[in-house]
Amino acid sequence: MFDAIIVGGSYAGLSAALQLARARRKILVIDAGQRRNRFAATSHGFLGQDGRTPGDIVADARAQLAAYSTVEFVDDQVEAVRKTDKGFSAQTVANGDFDARRLILATGVADELPDVPGLRERWGKSIFHCPYCHGYELDQGPIGVLAVSDMSMHHAMMLPDWGPTTLFLNGAFVPDAEQLAQLQRRGAKIESEPVVQISGEQADVELRDGRVIQLAGLFTMSKISPSSPLAAQLGCALEEGPAGSLIQTNGAKETTVSGVFACGDATRSFSSVAISVADGATAGAGTHQSLIFRDH
Ligand SMILES: Cc1cc2nc3c(=O)[nH]c(=O)nc-3n(C[C@H](O)[C@H](O)[C@H](O)COP(=O)(O)OP(=O)(O)OC[C@H]3O[C@@H](n4cnc5c(N)ncnc54)[C@H](O)[C@@H]3O)c2cc1C
């Protein structure tokens, strides 16, 4: 019987684990190794780790955690979770079942990308969603925004700080007079011709009329969904964010099911490595204190 099982051993999950390990709690981290930023060669914007590979950041964190004698790791996928008399049980694909008094879901999200040929292969390389993560490296070169709805206005308004920006409407929305004025104020160009595909070394946008707009990078919004059904299996409430559904949590990162905590991208619309690490630390402390101040 563990004090807590943490499902998801990436930035949020390992950060939660660290707080519990330092409280000498017996914990198990189960991870399937599918970090959201695995498509990118480098990770940016996390203090002290800027420009490192995403996997190296996790590997260092895991090595430091492994030095705590009360921490165990299993590399596996949790396929089902259920409530038990004493807490929760997690069923893995290859290593059987594990029981704990508390459960932390740090399982991240899955990105559903716009259906444009050539986009998926460039995701994390020259096509991104987060300007703070990858905008600087584009070296002030030409930048595109591939619209998915009028929420893409946000990208189009932000990105001129990183380079001359073109908003490719691609039939997703028609800016109204106020939006046109806002884009003009920011110096963003608008392209109405539909996008046929993305090609080239970086992100050449091929338009239906045959023109090709060469870009240093392209930004777009993915639709997100929880990358595992575990929260739903337990009956945790989900909430709709601007990009898709998230696990609902309170200030201590506890879900609507007592004893189940959640952290990281699975719980936040606009997240990052730094934010997930902070979120995990909050969930770890919240979980620890729930073990002390509750009689179950
Ligand atoms: C292309 C791209 C580039 C990015 N670049 C940056 C960047 O440069 N800087 C930055 O700060 N942020 C970046 N981000 C955002 C960053 O990747 C996320 O904010 C961060 O990974 C969230 O951390 P997390 O721990 O919540 O989830 P994740 O890192 O996604 O980890 C979730 C973990 O849970 C595991 N898991 C899920 N379900 C199960 C299960 N049932 N059983 C076992 N394990 C499970 C997964 O395998 C995975 O290892 C980028 C995102 C993308 C898409």
Side-chain angles (χ1 to χ4, degrees), residues 7-13 30-37 39-40 42-44 76-78 106-109 111 123-124 129 133-134 227-228 230 263-266 271-274 276:
V7 187
S10 179
Y11 313 105
I30 308 176
D31 184 42
Q34 297 293 301
R35 287 178 305 278
R36 188 180 181 191
N37 60 352
F39 306 99
T42 50
S43 166
H44 295 276
D76 204 341
Q77 176 92 18
V78 176
T107 41
V109 293
D111 288 296
W123 182 240
H129 72 298
C133 303
H134 298 286
S227 67
S228 95
L230 304 182
C263 52
D265 278 16
S271 193
S272 69
V273 172
S276 297

Side-chain angles (χ1 to χ4, degrees), residues 61-94:
R62 192 163 153 156
Q64 289 180 359
L65 257 174
Y68 291 85
S69 62
T70 57
V71 182
E72 291 181 42
F73 295 95
V74 168
D75 292 326
D76 204 341
Q77 176 92 18
V78 176
E79 55 185 356
V81 281
R82 65 185 170 83
K83 189 142 182 41
T84 63
D85 286 352
K86 297 203 170 115
F88 303 92
S89 184
Q91 179 188 328
T92 62
V93 171

